[in-house]
Amino acid sequence: MATEREFLLRRLHSLLGVIPVGIFLIQHLVVNHFATKSPDAFNKAAHFMESLPFRYALEIFVIFLPILFHAIYGLYIAFTAKNNVSKYGYGRNWMFMVQRFTGVVTLIFIVWHVWETRIAAARGAEVNFDMMANILASPAMFGFYVVGVIATIFHFANGLWSFCVSWGITVTPRSQQIATYVTMGIFVALSVVGVRALLAFV
């Protein structure tokens, strides 16, 4: 019974990492990328997202609660996982370990980012181009954001590979190899989008 419950929790954890959390990540990267066009373009995109109907309900039930479950159960997986890369140095073993590591980094980054933006907005500050430019003006903070964004994107992209395996989409070694190439391509493409956006703010 406990094994079946853990199986279902892991499936739910995997699903929420892609839908809706992964979709929100892509949407967030796209909005941030408007900064590469102009400060005004970013501000308009950010304002559009803030003016969506039922915004708070969407944030709570589509973003925050799924992220919270994914993060809490992800920490359980990360700290109970038995990493054996020293004994079996296969590529997928390394990916397994890096997935857990980037999950922890991603959680720290998200908490910090939410504190600097959403909590500040709740206190009356406006989330706009100038806010992000001020945050990223510090070289140390810029470096932290680059590491955080890349870790988050890797965690999502590599998580897509695990999702495909967990849900029976890729069951053969050949299909899993193809999925590796596709998901790493997604990682590179989204990393370019994310880092370009950060550079636009500085």
Side-chain angles (χ1 to χ4, degrees), residues 30-47:
V30 169
V31 169
N32 288 349
H33 197 258
F34 275 91
T36 62
K37 296 184 177 182
S38 70
D40 187 53
F42 172 80
N43 290 339
K44 286 181 179 179
H47 178 68

Side-chain angles (χ1 to χ4, degrees), residues 46-155:
H47 178 68
F48 171 76
M49 296 306 300
E50 290 177 350
S51 61
L52 287 174
F54 311 110
R55 171 191 157 198
Y56 292 112
L58 288 171
E59 286 184 340
I60 292 170
F61 295 105
V62 179
I63 301 171
F64 292 135
L65 288 180
I67 286 178
L68 188 62
F69 172 82
H70 189 81
I72 292 172
Y73 197 71
L75 285 175
Y76 165 77
I77 293 174
F79 288 106
T80 57
K82 296 178 180 179
N83 298 310
N84 57 359
V85 293
S86 59
K87 187 175 182 180
Y88 303 104
Y90 304 122
R92 268 298 135 195
N93 273 358
W94 280 102
M95 289 293 200
F96 178 86
M97 185 183 73
V98 175
Q99 182 72 358
R100 274 61 193 164
F101 175 76
T102 55
V104 175
V105 173
T106 297
L107 178 58
I108 294 170
F109 172 66
I110 289 175
V111 170
W112 183 265
H113 182 56
V114 169
W115 176 262
E116 285 195 310
T117 56
R118 302 307 301 163
I119 302 302
R123 294 175 176 174
E126 184 178 356
V127 180
N128 56 20
F129 186 94
D130 290 337
M131 172 189 273
M132 290 306 304
N134 288 334
I135 291 173
L136 297 173
S138 162
M141 191 55 62
F142 178 78
F144 172 72
Y145 264 74
V146 169
V147 171
V149 166
I150 291 177
T152 302
I153 293 170
F154 177 89
H155 190 75

